Amino acid sequence: MKTLKPTQLFLGLLVTICISCDRERGFGDAAEVTEEEALEMVQTSLVSEAYGMNIQADDASALDSNESSKSVVDCGVINARTMERNSLPNATVKFTHDIDYRFSLVCENDVPKAYAIDFIGNGTYNSPRMESDDTITYNAVLANIASSEGPYIYNSSFIREGTQTTKIAGRTKNFDSTLSIENSNIAVDKNSRVILEGSSTFSLTGTLSTGEPFSYKGTVSFKGNGEATIVINGNTYNVQI
């Protein structure tokens, strides 16, 4: 039987430790919320499939429709309604949100100028890469409603707080997060009620189930035709919303 010398034994242990280190480095992002996961959270909060900004802007624009228009809403009066928003059958992303929605018509010398909106929503969404149970706090102003010319001008802010489970790269990860998005001068087509252009800033903070904190900041630029770019840590991602 061959006997290992102390030097050989030490080298063997060192190799084993180094291999373990390499494996740990390869899976090191299990101990943090990665940029890819941050991108997933921001993109999901923009799309209609998870009651994101697309459908929030659509709901705001719908206030100027015939069913609930400035012709039948009094200036300055707060109107309240409850809504339930659900995903379509067989949709890739499943979501349901219960929403307490309030809006009022902002007038100047009795001439309608804008809608002021706020709501609180509670719900869940489940996509192939992420599950979330969260609360949305939202306020917005939909302007340029007096004229038939030009798009609506939409400014809003919303905060999405909750618990997420990511399912990316074959790993499951749990964390709590707060995502804040500020939307500035978003142009919304008056006929189709889709976003044409504009920009947003966002801040994402939270804590992993292990107690590790994380933080990301960035911007979103809307290009029209359902296209946008998200910038995180100086890296640019072209996404569909």
Side-chain angles (χ1 to χ4, degrees):
M1 178 173 140
K2 185 176 180 182
T3 302
L4 291 176
K5 296 180 180 179
T7 302
Q8 292 174 306
L9 182 61
F10 174 76
L11 290 174
L13 287 172
L14 184 61
V15 169
T16 301
I17 292 171
C18 288
I19 292 173
S20 298
C21 289
D22 286 340
R23 285 177 179 164
E24 198 169 301
R25 278 196 293 270
F27 295 91
D29 58 2
E32 63 182 356
V33 169
T34 66
E35 189 171 304
E36 181 181 8
E37 288 162 329
L39 174 67
E40 182 73 14
M41 286 195 66
V42 174
Q43 183 177 4
T44 304
S45 291
L46 301 177
V47 299
S48 301
E49 287 85 352
Y51 200 71
M53 183 182 161
N54 264 356
I55 198 167
Q56 292 165 9
D58 183 272
D59 278 347
S61 302
L63 294 176
D64 205 40
S65 68
N66 292 331
E67 291 78 18
S68 95
S69 69
K70 48 190 174 291
S71 63
V72 296
V73 175
D74 294 326
C75 294
V77 175
I78 295 176
N79 300 267
R81 61 177 63 164
T82 58
M83 304 189 300
E84 183 176 298
R85 286 286 186 261
N86 296 296
S87 53
L88 296 173
N90 302 317
T92 302
V93 179
K94 306 290 186 182
F95 84 92
T96 179
H97 266 78
D98 295 315
I99 300 161
D100 292 323
Y101 201 91
R102 304 192 311 168
F103 67 95
S104 61
L105 186 61
V106 180
C107 300
E108 187 177 297
N109 298 322
D110 293 327
V111 177
K113 294 294 184 181
Y115 283 100
I117 309 153
D118 65 77
F119 75 73
I120 295 177
N122 297 282
T124 62
Y125 68 82
N126 187 345
S127 74
R129 289 159 59 89
M130 183 173 291
E131 296 178 15
S132 181
D133 187 340
D134 54 40
T135 297
I136 300 175
T137 305
Y138 162 101
N139 61 75
V141 173
L142 183 77
N144 194 32
I145 66 173
S147 171
S148 60
E149 300 297 323
Y152 294 121
I153 303 301
Y154 175 75
N155 292 276
S156 75
S157 65
F158 71 93
I159 300 173
R160 192 166 212 150
E161 296 181 277
T163 300
Q164 286 74 41
T165 299
T166 57
K167 301 168 285 184
I168 296 176
R171 291 189 291 278
T172 299
K173 196 179 302 180
N174 300 297
F175 53 89
D176 297 324
S177 72
T178 299
L179 174 62
S180 301
I181 300 182
E182 298 285 337
N183 301 301
S184 177
N185 294 325
I186 304 296
V188 180
D189 186 85
K190 287 185 176 178
N191 295 316
S192 64
R193 305 205 299 247
V194 301
I195 295 172
L196 302 175
E197 61 180 356
S199 62
S200 306
T201 60
F202 68 84
S203 170
L204 173 63
T205 60
T207 307
L208 272 162
S209 57
T210 58
E212 292 295 320
F214 62 89
S215 177
Y216 289 96
K217 291 184 178 181
T219 60
V220 182
S221 298
F222 300 96
K223 306 298 185 183
N225 297 317
E227 298 178 356
T229 58
I230 299 175
V231 179
I232 306 177
N233 290 342
N235 298 316
T236 300
Y237 302 91
N238 296 312
V239 299
Q240 290 291 319
I241 61 169

